[in-house]
Amino acid sequence: SGSCLLRDSQVRVMENMVTNAEKYFGQFCSLLAAYTRKMARLRDKADQLVKQLIDFANTENPELQATLRNFAEDLAKVQDYRQAEVERLEIKVVNPLKFYGAQIKQTRAEIKKFKHIQNNEMKQLEKLEKLRQKSPSDRRMIVQAETSVQRASVDASRTTRQLEETIVGFQEQKLKDLQKIFSDFVTIEMVFHAKAVEVYSSAFQTLENYDLEQDLEDFRAKMHGVYGHYSARPFTDTNTSSSVPWALTSQNTQSTIQSQRKEEDAGEDDSMEEDMVEDLRGQGQGQGL
Amino acid sequence: SGSCLLRDSQVRVMENMVTNAEKYFGQFCSLLAAYTRKMARLRDKADQLVKQLIDFANTENPELQATLRNFAEDLAKVQDYRQAEVERLEIKVVNPLKFYGAQIKQTRAEIKKFKHIQNNEMKQLEKLEKLRQKSPSDRRMIVQAETSVQRASVDASRTTRQLEETIVGFQEQKLKDLQKIFSDFVTIEMVFHAKAVEVYSSAFQTLENYDLEQDLEDFRAKMHGVYGHYSARPFTDTNTSSSVPWALTSQNTQSTIQSQRKEEDAGEDDSMEEDMVEDLRGQGQGQGL
């Protein structure tokens, strides 16, 4: 019958709609979950970079240390926003998509029920046809079968209306979820990127404000200030020679090369050397190493 | 001797500076390379999402299709900017860090040379000491050894000045690279995030402008417009029954249920049914499926 054909089409259309939505929403879900995971991995790498920057800052002179720490703090702030982004994506994008998948399963169950009722109508019809062909004179059986057909037909009709409501409801839910989920995705991304611009602008200023030339000049002055004394004398200062194993009898050597010595107070040089080494270590290495 | 001790400290300080820079710059390099790779993975996932969104759009009605396509295009635009970000990070951040690693190896080679020259001075000194202890009367040999010591000492002294320059040069390079590389990193990130905010703002508008209620109303009207005719009659329309195998003899059935039929023109209903199914397919599935 035509109404059965129609209902059959209706169910097929509905099934196709559900299958299609299941397919694409499922892919949106797994892709956005993967996207969120990759975002979390990105955050992890940046967090490690922050840690290394702070470790490195501790091995540098105070000015550079301050610059690197401020920069690292800004970088860490971006990761905090990224973490918030990851959490929001999970709550407002990935989870609703998962939930949508669960709803689709429920819709599938409803369709199955409709199909069952439809099949029942068809079975009753077939039964009636067979009766009419095989026992056209058995009025009692035929009337009974006709009643069953009518009952099944009423069921199927009611089901058609229900299916119609289900289709509209399904479409409504799909469109609303689509708009809500992707709007939320865009909002979450937008907030994150806007915050990142803000923080990176501050980080850029931090790096711009670092006075590299002054830092280098200080370093150069320190190097020349200390090594400048030594550069004119090849080797000297026997006061500390006892600490050098291979020069235990350097008193003899001293006599040979004493003429080359230009400085008077070797002890002072020693303390300067220590200071310089201390300074260099402070700059090149830090106390931690 | 003191100058040897100093040069020894100098070399050690230099070695520590290089080791420290190598360690941290190496970590910055591998972390930023990993960061860039994760960013590329993120782009891949978003690209896949764009593809699925377009595929899905093709299964939807024209208005939703246009909305989804515009949204997908914006999402693709963000990925283009992300791709540019990935390329810039490689060129302006990861590669310079790799290059810095190569420079450090060169500095290590220089330090090795300095150490060799220092060791030579020590060897000559030790030789002279031994001669003075073993053959104190061999003036010719002692004078020769003293000349060697002096020559090695002059070499070592020149080397000390070179090492000093190397230290300053190394520090300069390190600070400049540090400022340049991280400023470039921040600039690249800032540009990307700013572009992303711009594009996502447009994407947000696209999603906001989508008239979901109108779309749903159209859908509802279509559903009621077609099914509305049928909801009042359980089963009907024998004109199409010949296409249904189980209803080959439905003419008989028709007589039984004809009273329930409310509509006059079944042929018109058939064409309406086809239109509706076509429409639903257009919305639920598209031509591709």
Side-chain angles (χ1 to χ4, degrees):
Chain A
S1 96
S3 75
C4 288
L5 180 68
L6 170 67
R7 285 198 293 269
D8 202 38
S9 302
Q10 231 182 351
V11 167
R12 245 185 299 120
V13 166
M14 183 69 194
E15 278 182 323
N16 286 338
M17 277 178 77
V18 167
T19 300
N20 198 52
E22 195 169 38
K23 177 188 167 191
Y24 287 108
F25 276 68
Q27 272 166 342
F28 296 157
C29 184
S30 65
L31 284 173
L32 282 160
Y35 179 87
T36 306
R37 276 196 306 275
K38 304 283 169 205
M39 190 64 85
R41 296 294 89 76
L42 198 65
R43 177 211 55 209
D44 289 344
K45 286 296 156 197
D47 278 345
Q48 287 174 28
L49 183 61
V50 166
K51 204 196 154 296
Q52 290 301 320
L53 274 167
I54 290 168
D55 282 359
F56 178 62
N58 290 336
T59 72
E60 293 291 331
N61 70 61
E63 214 211 324
L64 181 56
Q65 191 173 91
T67 300
L68 287 172
R69 277 187 179 161
N70 285 340
F71 171 59
E73 268 169 36
D74 281 339
L75 204 56
K77 228 180 269 173
V78 173
Q79 305 329 306
D80 289 344
Y81 287 126
R82 218 190 286 273
Q83 174 57 22
E85 183 198 16
V86 164
E87 285 167 14
R88 283 182 198 146
L89 285 175
E90 274 166 5
I91 293 165
K92 299 194 102 184
V93 176
V94 178
N95 286 352
L97 281 167
K98 271 184 199 160
F99 184 69
Y100 187 83
Q103 279 183 306
I104 280 180
K105 277 187 182 61
Q106 204 186 308
T107 306
R108 274 213 186 286
E110 280 182 65
I111 294 172
K112 208 175 166 184
K113 197 184 74 190
F114 297 147
K115 275 176 109 172
H116 178 76
I117 290 165
Q118 274 192 359
N119 286 339
N120 187 45
E121 187 192 12
M122 291 176 195
K123 271 182 203 155
Q124 299 306 326
L125 269 169
E126 279 175 77
K127 219 168 151 186
L128 180 61
E129 295 302 319
K130 271 184 191 161
L131 263 175
R132 279 183 177 147
Q133 285 182 323
K134 289 182 178 169
S135 341
S137 57
D138 192 345
R139 285 304 301 161
R140 197 187 60 85
M141 282 292 278
I142 286 171
V143 166
Q144 203 174 46
E146 278 176 351
T147 309
S148 291
V149 165
Q150 246 177 306
R151 206 180 293 131
S153 179
V154 167
D155 275 359
S157 173
R158 193 182 55 234
T159 293
T160 301
R161 284 195 301 277
Q162 282 175 354
L163 185 58
E164 191 188 308
E165 279 164 31
T166 303
I167 292 179
V168 172
F170 179 82
Q171 180 74 356
E172 182 170 359
Q173 189 66 47
K174 188 181 80 177
L175 296 183
K176 280 189 178 165
D177 281 356
L178 208 61
Q179 194 181 33
K180 176 83 171 71
I181 289 170
F182 283 114
S183 288
D184 280 347
F185 172 80
V186 169
T187 305
I188 291 164
E189 288 283 303
M190 214 161 38
V191 166
F192 166 65
H193 289 296
K195 288 287 180 188
V197 170
E198 200 183 296
V199 177
Y200 277 128
S201 300
S202 141
F204 188 78
Q205 274 313 309
T206 296
L207 291 171
E208 280 294 293
N209 292 343
Y210 167 60
D211 195 346
L212 184 145
E213 285 308 325
Q214 185 57 52
D215 226 12
L216 258 184
E217 218 168 274
D218 291 352
F219 187 82
R220 249 188 231 108
K222 229 172 257 166
M223 295 298 295
H224 289 136
V226 180
Y227 290 130
H229 298 296
Y230 295 88
S231 53
R233 40 180 188 145
F235 66 102
T236 180
D237 186 14
T238 52
N239 291 359
T240 59
S241 59
S242 59
S243 65
V244 186
W246 48 262
L248 276 170
T249 54
S250 63
Q251 280 77 4
N252 294 331
T253 314
Q254 188 189 1
S255 62
T256 321
I257 49 151
Q258 205 151 32
S259 61
Q260 298 168 332
R261 195 173 170 196
K262 302 286 195 293
E263 293 283 314
E264 293 307 312
D265 190 357
E268 194 192 307
D269 286 340
D270 278 347
S271 72
M272 279 182 77
E273 182 200 321
E274 274 167 35
D275 286 345
M276 186 280 300
V277 170
E278 227 15 74
D279 280 340
L280 278 177
R281 286 211 172 118
Q283 291 184 315
Q285 245 198 308
Q287 311 96 299
L289 289 171
Chain B
S1 94
S3 73
C4 288
L5 180 68
L6 171 65
R7 284 196 294 267
D8 202 40
S9 303
Q10 233 181 348
V11 167
R12 247 185 296 120
V13 166
M14 182 70 195
E15 279 182 323
N16 286 337
M17 277 176 77
V18 167
T19 301
N20 198 53
E22 196 169 36
K23 177 188 165 187
Y24 286 108
F25 277 69
Q27 273 166 340
F28 296 157
C29 184
S30 65
L31 284 173
L32 282 160
Y35 179 87
T36 306
R37 276 196 306 275
K38 304 283 168 206
M39 191 64 84
R41 294 296 88 77
L42 198 64
R43 178 211 56 209
D44 289 345
K45 285 297 155 200
D47 278 345
Q48 286 174 26
L49 183 61
V50 166
K51 205 197 153 295
Q52 290 302 321
L53 274 167
I54 291 169
D55 282 0
F56 178 63
N58 290 335
T59 72
E60 292 292 329
N61 70 61
E63 213 213 325
L64 181 56
Q65 190 173 92
T67 299
L68 287 172
R69 276 189 180 159
N70 285 340
F71 172 58
E73 267 169 38
D74 281 338
L75 203 55
K77 228 181 267 173
V78 173
Q79 305 327 307
D80 289 344
Y81 286 125
R82 219 191 286 272
Q83 174 57 22
E85 182 198 17
V86 164
E87 284 168 15
R88 283 183 198 143
L89 284 175
E90 272 167 7
I91 293 165
K92 299 195 103 184
V93 176
V94 177
N95 287 352
L97 282 167
K98 272 185 198 159
F99 185 69
Y100 187 83
Q103 279 182 307
I104 279 179
K105 276 186 182 63
Q106 204 184 309
T107 306
R108 276 216 184 283
E110 279 181 68
I111 294 171
K112 209 176 168 184
K113 199 184 73 188
F114 297 147
K115 276 175 113 172
H116 179 77
I117 291 164
Q118 274 191 0
N119 285 340
N120 187 44
E121 189 194 11
M122 291 178 195
K123 271 180 202 159
Q124 298 307 326
L125 268 170
E126 279 177 74
K127 219 169 153 186
L128 179 61
E129 295 303 321
K130 272 183 191 164
L131 263 177
R132 278 185 178 144
Q133 285 184 321
K134 288 181 180 172
S135 342
S137 55
D138 194 344
R139 286 304 301 159
R140 201 186 59 86
M141 283 290 278
I142 285 171
V143 166
Q144 207 174 40
E146 279 174 353
T147 309
S148 290
V149 165
Q150 247 177 306
R151 206 180 293 133
S153 178
V154 168
D155 275 0
S157 172
R158 195 182 54 234
T159 293
T160 301
R161 283 193 302 276
Q162 285 175 351
L163 185 60
E164 193 189 307
E165 281 162 29
T166 302
I167 293 177
V168 172
F170 178 84
Q171 181 73 357
E172 183 170 357
Q173 190 66 48
K174 189 181 77 178
L175 296 183
K176 280 186 178 167
D177 282 356
L178 208 61
Q179 195 181 32
K180 177 83 169 69
I181 290 168
F182 284 114
S183 289
D184 281 346
F185 171 80
V186 170
T187 305
I188 292 164
E189 289 282 304
M190 214 161 38
V191 167
F192 167 65
H193 290 297
K195 289 286 180 188
V197 170
E198 201 182 297
V199 178
Y200 277 128
S201 300
S202 141
F204 188 78
Q205 273 313 310
T206 296
L207 291 172
E208 280 293 294
N209 293 342
Y210 167 62
D211 195 347
L212 186 145
E213 284 309 326
Q214 184 58 53
D215 226 12
L216 259 183
E217 218 167 275
D218 291 351
F219 187 84
R220 249 189 231 109
K222 227 171 259 164
M223 296 295 295
H224 289 136
V226 180
Y227 290 129
H229 296 297
Y230 293 89
S231 53
R233 38 182 189 142
F235 67 104
T236 180
D237 187 12
T238 52
N239 291 356
T240 58
S241 60
S242 59
S243 64
V244 185
W246 48 260
L248 277 169
T249 55
S250 63
Q251 279 79 4
N252 294 331
T253 313
Q254 188 187 2
S255 62
T256 319
I257 50 157
Q258 207 153 29
S259 62
Q260 297 170 332
R261 195 170 170 199
K262 303 286 193 296
E263 291 286 312
E264 292 309 312
D265 190 357
E268 193 192 308
D269 286 340
D270 277 346
S271 73
M272 278 182 77
E273 181 200 324
E274 272 168 37
D275 285 346
M276 186 280 301
V277 169
E278 227 16 74
D279 281 339
L280 279 178
R281 286 216 170 114
Q283 292 184 315
Q285 246 199 312
Q287 312 95 305
L289 287 172

